[in-house]
Amino acid sequence: MAAVSGLLVAGTTSDAGKSVVTAGICRWLRRRGVRVAPFKAQNMSNNSAIAISPDGRGGEIGRAQALQAAACGLAPDVRFNPVLLKPGSDQSSQVIVLGEAVGNIDAANFHDLKPRLAGTAFDTLAALRREVDVVICEGAGSPTEINLREGDFVNMGLARAANLPVIVVGDIDRGGVFAALFGTLALLDAEDQRHIAGFLINKFRGDAGLLDPALKKLYALTRRPVLGVLPWQVDLWLDAEDALAYGQVLGRPDPPVGAQWLRVAVVRLPRISNATDAEALATEPGVRVRLTVEPAEIDDADLVILPGSKSTVDDLAWLRETGLAEAVQRHANRGKPVLGICGGFQMLAERIHDQVESRAGTVAGLGLLPVEITFRPEKVVGHSGGTAFGSLPVSGYEIHHGYVSAARATRQPFLYYPDGTVEGAVLGHVFGTHLHGTFESDDFRRAFLTRVAGLAGRHGFTVATNNRFGAARERTLDLLADLIEEHVDTTELWRIIVEGVPGSQPAVGPAALPTRTPWVSR
């Protein structure tokens, strides 16, 4: 099939469902035999995935784009998310360009960097469109952040530069979806509005027929159709890009195979990164995984997990300020299992030497593992793996500046690499590793859960023997495609993708006035 065109999926708000709608459209197109690829010009997230760069090295992209790549049947590629911003604080972010960290920015200097980032994004998309039939692009936030429109290259700026049609997704679960859809269109200028080809309503609960009068009214006002009403679906929680979107309990845990549940508490750090590590545990029957900021829930847990962090030292200080550090130490002192992953592993150390990330120098860790951590400017990024619990294969990925610079002989390794070197640290019931994604290795996950259940005294807990995480992810992607096929006018969606930007669309709102009303009166 010759190259067709592309599509930009925008949203009325963050978390309206752009990422999952994009993934669903990608999987639907793949089912049709279309060569399709995902694209997000700029993402802001600390949940990243490892992708391959053009020179064969490992690089970082947003986790949502990795899921979308899987929907397309493709390996993650840095071109699917050429610009990734990883917030380290409320004021600054690390900038990843085509997978590689190039520095840090704040609000003041980001404006100066935008033209370079925009050029990279536009060139990358143009190259992708020459390689596949269709590129499905995802916007960021809302396309009508009118204070950010100048220099925009991820929403309407991208649509205009690449001549893409746009569909706008609205989250009806938040309320006010029709005002949000109309307002999103009305706040755009006339040329931007020309690219808006239709709307999608997401997360509806109930009888969609009740919306018919409003759908007709919205069409009468805008002359843009609502292409579909997607129902609320509780099983769409895997690979959530924003950890804050999870709620408290991950997924819907199935009843235990044995007589007891295993209760897992994951500390929701302020700068949490790659929080999706715990999702594979949540797919296991009888494992309840709860994200928490409450010391009491730490006390009640069987296993406590300190996840990754974009700012280890700052989040460690937060742990101490909130009483969570004391709760974790109290849990460990009772002989209950604790796991630290990446930044969480670093917090478990005796000392942390950091002149790179926080520049705080030497600070005391929680002292639960007999290691010291030192940060270096070079970031370790790439896939990794070895064996654990004897000969069980473990694979994962690494994204970190800190490394084990000293270790006492009392520690055992978390895993062994093929060359005989070791990674991580284990001391009795306390585990630490720099590897993300290890629980996606099914045999290792079962062995780990069996070990920690015994340490926690949950002898009635039994792991399932036939649960495969890869199959759970595929079921999620197929469910997304099913929702698109069943609840969206796919004939009209395909027409929009093939024909591109609508030939003539009426403007609404201020753009339709003979003389435009100024946004700010003087």
Side-chain angles (χ1 to χ4, degrees):
M1 180 185 292
V4 176
S5 183
L7 179 72
L8 175 65
V9 179
T12 55
T13 61
S14 295
D15 199 34
K18 298 183 295 292
S19 296
V20 293
V21 167
T22 299
I25 294 173
C26 285
R27 177 55 65 99
W28 165 69
L29 287 171
R30 185 189 176 204
R31 286 178 175 177
R32 293 174 59 109
V34 177
R35 295 179 305 154
V36 58
F39 183 82
K40 185 161 185 170
Q42 175 190 294
N43 201 345
M44 177 175 280
S45 176
N46 279 330
N47 282 335
S48 58
I50 299 299
I52 301 301
S53 59
D55 59 8
R57 295 182 300 169
E60 295 180 71
I61 62 173
R63 176 157 291 277
Q65 281 63 65
L67 181 69
Q68 292 159 3
C72 299
L74 300 174
D77 187 312
V78 296
R79 297 177 301 167
F80 299 160
N81 177 205
V83 180
L84 175 63
L85 305 181
K86 303 187 74 173
S89 70
D90 292 340
Q91 303 297 325
S92 66
S93 297
Q94 185 180 56
V95 183
I96 313 292
V97 178
L98 290 174
E100 184 176 353
V102 298
N104 292 283
I105 54 100
D106 55 28
N109 60 22
F110 182 57
H111 181 78
D112 297 332
L113 189 61
K114 265 188 174 182
R116 173 192 164 193
L117 300 179
T120 298
F122 296 158
D123 291 346
T124 303
L125 176 58
L128 272 179
R129 294 177 79 179
R130 289 191 292 268
E131 296 179 16
V132 297
D133 303 321
V134 176
V135 178
I136 303 299
C137 304
E138 179 190 343
S142 163
T144 49
E145 304 291 354
I146 53 181
N147 57 311
L148 303 176
R149 178 61 183 88
E150 183 181 357
D152 165 60
F153 62 91
V154 64
N155 289 306
M156 302 313 299
L158 180 71
R160 285 172 64 166
N163 201 31
L164 295 171
V166 179
I167 61 171
V168 179
V169 180
D171 178 0
I172 198 169
D173 196 53
R174 295 172 181 260
V177 71
F178 294 103
L181 291 171
F182 180 84
T184 296
L185 178 65
L187 282 174
L188 299 174
D189 67 26
E191 182 58 27
D192 282 352
Q193 287 192 31
R194 191 176 69 84
H195 289 258
I196 306 297
F199 305 111
L200 270 178
I201 292 176
N202 194 26
K203 306 180 189 177
F204 180 71
R205 307 172 194 244
D207 179 4
L210 297 174
L211 299 179
D212 283 347
L215 302 182
K216 293 174 182 176
K217 182 66 173 179
L218 184 64
Y219 180 78
L221 290 170
T222 67
R223 313 309 292 179
R224 275 89 171 172
V226 173
L227 299 173
V229 178
L230 298 172
W232 174 270
Q233 177 52 254
V234 296
D235 291 325
L236 297 178
W237 58 273
L238 277 181
D239 290 294
E241 190 169 63
D242 182 359
L244 298 180
Y246 288 151
Q248 287 193 317
V249 176
L250 296 188
R252 291 190 302 164
D254 289 333
V257 174
Q260 288 183 302
W261 287 80
L262 189 69
R263 302 162 301 173
V264 180
V266 180
V267 179
R268 192 199 300 252
L269 301 168
R271 301 160 188 86
I272 192 169
S273 67
N274 291 79
T276 49
D277 282 330
E279 289 183 341
L281 298 181
T283 65
E284 286 289 337
V287 179
R288 189 193 68 174
V289 180
R290 180 181 292 273
L291 287 167
T292 185
V293 294
E294 298 295 334
E297 292 185 346
I298 299 296
D299 290 336
D300 191 50
D302 300 312
L303 167 66
V304 172
I305 297 178
L306 291 178
S309 168
K310 185 61 184 69
S311 189
T312 298
V313 170
D314 291 336
D315 277 353
L316 177 59
W318 175 83
L319 281 180
R320 291 187 164 117
E321 291 166 2
T322 57
L324 285 162
E326 183 181 354
V328 172
Q329 290 171 316
R330 187 166 58 243
H331 179 90
N333 291 339
R334 293 201 303 265
K336 296 290 188 70
V338 176
L339 168 67
I341 303 173
C342 200
F345 169 35
Q346 295 162 3
M347 295 177 197
L348 297 176
E350 294 176 340
R351 279 172 292 279
I352 302 170
H353 310 285
D354 181 13
Q355 295 290 357
V356 175
E357 199 172 72
S358 68
R359 300 182 182 177
T362 297
V363 300
L366 296 180
L368 296 177
L369 286 174
V371 299
E372 296 188 21
I373 299 292
T374 299
F375 280 68
R376 53 189 171 196
E378 300 79 17
K379 181 187 278 192
V380 176
V381 178
H383 291 285
S384 190
T387 56
F389 296 123
S391 59
L392 292 180
V394 183
S395 61
Y397 60 96
E398 298 180 70
I399 305 174
H400 57 92
H401 287 282
Y403 69 100
V404 176
S405 54
R408 288 193 275 119
T410 51
R411 70 108 182 218
Q412 296 295 314
F414 186 83
L415 63 83
Y416 290 88
Y417 287 125
D419 63 2
T421 58
V422 300
E423 193 281 328
V426 178
L427 184 63
H429 55 284
V430 181
F431 306 80
T433 178
H434 274 120
L435 264 68
H436 297 286
T438 58
F439 294 131
E440 295 183 24
S441 299
D442 296 327
D443 290 339
F444 169 76
R445 180 180 66 255
R446 296 180 188 117
F448 181 82
L449 288 173
T450 299
R451 171 75 65 87
V452 300
L455 291 169
R458 290 281 171 174
H459 302 295
F461 173 80
T462 303
V463 294
T465 58
N466 58 352
N467 195 48
R468 294 191 304 113
F469 180 76
R473 177 173 282 149
E474 281 298 303
R475 285 194 299 270
T476 295
L477 293 171
D478 284 333
L479 173 58
L480 288 170
D482 291 343
L483 290 172
I484 296 296
E485 289 182 349
E486 294 170 15
H487 300 281
V488 174
D489 182 348
T490 53
T491 300
E492 179 66 9
L493 178 61
W494 179 246
R495 187 192 66 77
I496 290 170
I497 292 172
V498 171
E499 296 184 6
V501 178
S504 61
Q505 294 276 37
V508 302
L513 299 176
T515 303
R516 295 190 61 186
T517 303
W519 293 112
V520 180
S521 59
R522 290 183 174 89

